[in-house]
Amino acid sequence: MKTGERNEVFFFPYDANRAFLRGLRTLFSRVANVVSTGDSVAVKVHMGEYGASAYLRPPIVRRVCDLIKEAGAKPFVTDTTTLYSLGRFTASKYLATAAFNGFTKRTLGAPVIIADGEQGYDGEWVDIPKRVSNCSLDKVKIARKILDADSMVVLSHLKGHELSGFGGSIKNVAMGCVTKESKAAQHSVNRGVMDISKCTGCGKCIEACAFEALSVLEEKVVRDEKKCLNCNNCLYSCPEKVFSLPLQAKEKFQVYLAHAAARVLSRFRSKVVFINFIQDVTPLCDCITPSGLPIIPDIGMLASTDVVAIDKASLDLIAQTKPIGKFASISSSDILGKINGTDSLIQIRTAQELGLGSMAYELCVTK
Ligand code: SF4
Ligand code: SF4
């Protein structure tokens, strides 16, 4: 519907002071009309894995909750459980990790609710009506509490991602608003290809698999394909590199992400807004500990009602900034994609093709 138009992306650049409280008030005033009086507002945010350090700081989220309350609505801070078995695998574990990272009802002034329930399966399957780029993903299971909200404010920390190149608003919605089965479905294109000849039968991957999908038979690993949920914990835990990503996995994964995001967002129609934070831009995502040192100096915050425009504008601003540290020599219009070995614009192009917004945006600098 918006393809081809120039959509507004409001930009609050950081100066030496990084005045985020003022910046958030300014940005929110430009997009606040998506929230109506009395709305139950899902504030979608990744609250950081246990041991992570680059995730969005709690005062940022607190400020957004306060602004939503000033608009007469009722915010709750939310995310979903993970597919892999670390500090956010269940709702109880996530709440403990969130508290450790500084996110509680007391610090945020709003309840913290894990949207897909204790085990991560509470939600509703919905069909994906429109598909492009030979996408086989035909449905998503939207997490219950996100499904029940009246409107949504999506807060995204911009960073690299080893499978999708970068993570911004599209990825935050696609993976972060759905249940475990739906995450597994999106990750099905990443299920590791096995080279059994390298396997020593050490059993490390079995310990890493939370779904009891692996066993060792005659000193070689065996995978139960029905039990596997594509979390790739085995891939990262195997010392012999028995598992590797299938060809084009990263590119297909991005196509799936865009489709999942499109379906989740259609639930909210125009009652959703995105705020991207280009700060602490690490090469890897907030699920990985450690996620690495920042690759660029901090840039600022963006807000838009167009998920395509805001992610494209974020990548463009990063591309215009000289990388630092060990990435200083990279020159690319897609720095994070280059670091992570993919073309990370695929998710943005696909989202545009699905009618989620426009890559032709207008950057409106605010003070
Ligand atoms: S077999 Fe590997 S990818 Fe599948 S669920 Fe177990 S750890 Fe995850
Ligand atoms: S961790 Fe690797 S080498 Fe060890 S059993 Fe699993 S696949 Fe084989």
Side-chain angles (χ1 to χ4, degrees):
M1 78 192 149
K2 295 174 181 170
T3 304
E5 294 173 10
R6 294 188 68 82
N7 290 291
E8 289 179 317
V9 177
F10 301 101
F11 175 39
F12 183 86
Y14 288 149
D15 57 17
N17 297 320
R18 194 154 92 171
F20 75 95
L21 291 176
R22 180 163 56 81
L24 279 171
R25 180 172 290 284
T26 304
L27 289 181
F28 195 74
S29 70
R30 303 298 184 96
V31 292
N33 57 354
V34 302
V35 171
S36 309
T37 306
D39 272 5
S40 166
V41 184
V43 180
K44 170 68 185 72
V45 61
H46 187 316
M47 290 174 268
E49 189 45 82
Y50 181 77
S53 59
Y55 58 87
L56 291 183
R57 293 159 177 74
I60 289 173
V61 185
R62 170 63 187 249
R63 179 62 154 193
V64 172
C65 289
D66 287 349
L67 290 166
I68 291 169
K69 285 194 271 187
E70 280 179 25
K74 295 168 286 186
F76 66 95
V77 176
T78 192
D79 197 7
T80 53
T81 63
T82 56
L83 203 48
Y84 59 83
S85 55
L86 290 177
R88 300 179 300 140
F89 189 57
T90 60
S92 342
K93 278 191 175 179
Y94 199 145
L95 290 173
T97 296
F100 184 83
N101 287 347
F103 298 90
T104 64
K105 184 174 181 183
R106 192 165 179 172
T107 59
L108 301 172
V112 181
I113 298 175
I114 305 307
D116 54 345
E118 176 58 20
Q119 298 302 324
Y121 296 98
D122 187 17
E124 198 170 308
W125 284 109
V126 286
D127 289 337
I128 297 174
K130 179 180 177 183
R131 286 183 279 160
V132 299
S133 305
N134 295 320
C135 180
S136 305
L137 190 76
D138 59 359
K139 55 187 177 180
V140 289
K141 191 172 177 184
I142 303 176
R144 178 72 55 201
K145 297 298 180 189
I146 287 174
L147 201 58
D148 290 348
D150 298 310
S151 46
M152 182 157 71
V153 177
V154 181
L155 307 181
S156 304
H157 167 225
L158 248 291
K159 68 270 168 180
H161 191 282
E162 60 185 345
L163 294 177
S164 57
F166 87 103
S169 285
I170 293 171
K171 176 149 193 318
N172 196 358
V173 170
M175 198 56 72
C177 292
V178 304
T179 65
K180 272 191 172 58
E181 310 103 300
S182 203
K183 289 182 173 83
Q186 290 178 64
H187 275 294
S188 61
V189 289
N190 306 130
R191 182 175 293 194
V193 176
M194 295 162 74
D195 179 353
I196 294 297
S197 67
K198 292 181 180 169
C199 180
T200 60
C202 72
K204 287 202 172 109
C205 57
I206 297 174
E207 287 167 34
C209 179
F211 303 102
E212 299 180 348
L214 297 172
S215 55
V216 169
L217 196 65
E218 296 176 357
E219 298 188 356
K220 294 289 180 190
V221 73
V222 177
R223 181 170 61 201
D224 182 330
E225 302 296 339
K226 284 192 182 144
K227 284 187 177 174
C228 174
L229 282 193
N230 312 319
C231 75
N232 273 352
N233 257 11
C234 50
L235 188 147
Y236 300 118
S237 65
C238 174
E240 307 298 333
K241 301 206 181 318
V242 165
F243 305 89
S244 58
L245 288 176
L247 283 177
Q248 295 291 304
K250 297 184 182 193
E251 292 70 31
K252 287 180 189 164
F253 179 56
Q254 291 184 66
V255 169
Y256 278 25
L257 285 179
H259 283 77
R263 187 59 187 92
V264 172
L265 292 176
S266 72
R267 147 74 187 83
F268 289 97
R269 299 181 189 277
S270 59
K271 290 184 71 70
V272 57
V273 65
F274 311 93
I275 306 180
N276 282 2
F277 297 80
I278 313 178
Q279 58 191 57
D280 304 313
V281 180
T282 48
L284 298 174
C285 73
D286 296 334
C287 301
I288 308 286
T289 53
S291 56
L293 294 172
I295 64 153
I296 50 165
D298 293 346
I299 294 177
M301 305 183 280
L302 304 167
S304 182
T305 54
D306 183 326
V307 72
V308 175
I310 194 168
D311 274 3
K312 179 67 165 63
S314 300
L315 288 195
D316 288 347
L317 285 166
I318 291 171
Q320 291 158 20
T321 309
K322 187 163 173 31
I324 54 177
K326 71 175 184 178
F327 300 109
S329 62
I330 293 184
S331 170
S332 170
S333 58
D334 178 19
I335 293 173
L336 292 167
K338 190 151 189 174
I339 290 172
N340 287 294
T342 187
D343 169 8
S344 62
L345 283 163
I346 290 172
Q347 57 186 291
I348 298 177
R349 281 191 224 106
T350 309
Q352 177 176 263
E353 212 179 330
L354 288 167
L356 281 188
S358 172
M359 291 169 69
Y361 59 87
E362 183 180 348
L363 195 67
C364 309
V365 180
T366 63
K367 289 283 176 198

